[in-house]
Amino acid sequence: MFFEKMTNIWQYVGIVIMIVAIIGLVKIHKCKEEDEEYLVLKMIGFYLLGSFSFNFNITEFTYIFVPIGFFVYYLFMEHKERKNKVLKNKCAKWGLIILTISFVSNNLNGIMNHFEYRDININATGNIKDLTLEWKTIKSKCNIDDNVPLDGARIIYNKDGKIEDLTYFLIDYNKNKSYQVNFENENYHIVVNKYDGYDYNFNSHYGTKTENFLKVVDHISDSHKMMDYNEINYEKELEGSNEGYDLYSVNIKNNKYKKIKEKDLQGPVVNFYAEGKNDLSERYIFE
């Protein structure tokens, strides 16, 4: 929570630094020694030279810089005789100072991003019956809001209810974050990434919640004897025919499930496949 708030605040730091840089140049201009044509443009040029650098990434979020522009200025231009020499020297040095401040600011922001988007591991029982309770832990540990929709999910478990494979994928369009929850080595491994939002969906906020998907999962696991192979998956947008499936309508509000015959229904669905003595193919469509 702390790193998320700081990351949101830090997006305005660059604006503050730019304002400080302009104020500094205005103050330096007041120290001019003599009138000179195009002095303001020359001041900006020396400032930009002093702030020019090459950057080298250390990690995804942090870097080091080499102030190549100031080196060029220091070696070839600092001692050259010219009008308003002191003022121009101050502009180049002010550029280096602002460059250094930006470097520190960006790396602090990078460190916060590292913690904000770091992967998280959470203990799991690995049993189909515990998924709803464990989701509450995942949501709390990852600070996932209640309105974040489920984008896709897949769960495979055996006749003992033991999870063999699990993946949830969620996109928080408000925070520009994505979450991929995987079951690995008796743990949940949550991969948190920054989401660019290029596929923004205005209806995404009204999609199926993970809690609602897991209610259907609980209903399925309670209603059917577990077979050798059981697969449940969630598809946000489905195209194609419902032929070959037993089709059910789901009302989450009153926890009602009713068998229906409308084969042309489309929309977010939960699919259930099971292989054993009698194979099953069921599809649950949310009302």
Side-chain angles (χ1 to χ4, degrees), residues 28-81:
I28 292 173
H29 183 267
K30 293 179 180 180
C31 301
K32 69 177 181 179
E33 305 147 53
E34 55 186 302
D35 291 331
E36 183 177 351
E37 193 174 8
Y38 305 118
L39 179 59
V40 172
L41 293 178
K42 293 175 181 178
M43 287 176 60
I44 293 173
F46 276 91
Y47 167 81
L48 292 176
L49 181 63
S51 62
F52 179 75
S53 69
F54 287 148
N55 300 331
F56 302 94
N57 289 337
I58 301 175
T59 68
E60 181 182 358
F61 298 108
T62 58
Y63 68 95
I64 59 174
F65 76 97
V66 178
I68 189 70
F70 188 80
F71 287 157
V72 170
Y73 160 78
Y74 181 79
L75 293 174
F76 302 107
M77 304 177 71
E78 184 180 27
H79 303 293
K80 184 178 179 181
E81 291 298 326

Side-chain angles (χ1 to χ4, degrees), residues 23-214:
I23 292 173
L25 288 174
V26 170
K27 288 184 175 294
I28 292 173
H29 183 267
K30 293 179 180 180
C31 301
K32 69 177 181 179
E33 305 147 53
E34 55 186 302
D35 291 331
E36 183 177 351
E37 193 174 8
Y38 305 118
L39 179 59
V40 172
L41 293 178
K42 293 175 181 178
M43 287 176 60
I44 293 173
F46 276 91
Y47 167 81
L48 292 176
L49 181 63
S51 62
F52 179 75
S53 69
F54 287 148
N55 300 331
F56 302 94
N57 289 337
I58 301 175
T59 68
E60 181 182 358
F61 298 108
T62 58
Y63 68 95
I64 59 174
F65 76 97
V66 178
I68 189 70
F70 188 80
F71 287 157
V72 170
Y73 160 78
Y74 181 79
L75 293 174
F76 302 107
M77 304 177 71
E78 184 180 27
H79 303 293
K80 184 178 179 181
E81 291 298 326
R82 58 170 62 86
K83 288 184 177 181
N84 291 299
K85 176 181 176 181
V86 174
L87 178 144
K88 292 171 183 174
N89 288 350
K90 287 182 178 180
C91 288
K93 291 174 181 177
W94 182 238
L96 178 63
I97 291 171
I98 293 297
L99 173 65
T100 304
I101 293 172
S102 298
F103 163 74
V104 173
S105 170
N106 291 337
N107 276 288
L108 286 175
N109 186 39
I111 292 169
M112 287 187 289
N113 277 328
H114 168 75
F115 285 101
E116 178 65 16
Y117 299 104
R118 72 191 186 281
D119 294 354
I120 299 171
N121 292 302
I122 298 174
N123 292 334
T125 64
N127 192 287
I128 191 72
K129 299 293 186 182
D130 297 323
L131 294 186
T132 297
L133 182 62
E134 290 172 344
W135 169 248
K136 292 179 181 179
T137 303
I138 293 171
K139 193 166 69 167
S140 175
K141 292 284 187 182
C142 297
N143 191 32
I144 300 175
D145 294 337
D146 290 335
N147 65 344
V148 175
L150 182 65
D151 205 66
R154 182 171 183 257
I155 303 169
I156 297 175
Y157 58 100
N158 60 25
K159 62 182 179 180
D160 298 318
K162 191 71 175 177
I163 302 293
E164 296 181 356
D165 186 37
L166 179 149
T167 301
Y168 306 148
F169 189 72
L170 305 94
I171 299 175
D172 188 335
Y173 292 92
N174 288 327
K175 297 179 181 177
N176 294 325
K177 294 172 73 173
S178 67
Y179 307 86
Q180 182 168 321
V181 182
N182 302 308
F183 180 75
E184 300 175 358
N185 302 320
E186 304 300 321
N187 286 281
Y188 290 113
H189 179 67
I190 299 99
V191 179
V192 184
N193 285 313
K194 193 167 186 177
Y195 182 72
D196 293 331
Y198 51 85
D199 288 330
Y200 185 82
N201 182 353
F202 286 99
N203 295 319
S204 63
H205 299 285
Y206 307 102
T208 302
K209 297 179 181 179
T210 306
E211 289 91 339
N212 293 341
F213 164 70
L214 291 174

Side-chain angles (χ1 to χ4, degrees), residues 222-238:
D222 290 339
S223 303
H224 298 289
K225 182 179 178 181
M226 297 178 189
M227 298 191 190
D228 296 330
Y229 173 90
N230 305 270
E231 177 180 342
I232 302 174
N233 64 63
Y234 169 76
E235 299 178 36
K236 191 172 181 181
E237 295 180 1
L238 183 74

Side-chain angles (χ1 to χ4, degrees), residues 4-17:
E4 179 185 329
K5 288 183 178 178
M6 291 303 297
T7 299
N8 291 334
I9 292 172
W10 218 264
Q11 63 184 319
Y12 301 105
V13 172
I15 298 174
V16 174
I17 292 175

Side-chain angles (χ1 to χ4, degrees), residues 238-247 260-266 271 273 281-283 285:
L238 183 74
E239 296 180 358
S241 172
N242 291 309
E243 292 292 338
Y245 294 89
D246 287 336
L247 193 60
I260 55 177
K261 295 182 179 180
E262 291 84 349
K263 299 296 184 180
D264 59 341
L265 287 177
Q266 303 293 317
N271 295 315
Y273 312 99
S281 293
E282 296 180 345
R283 179 165 286 166
I285 298 183

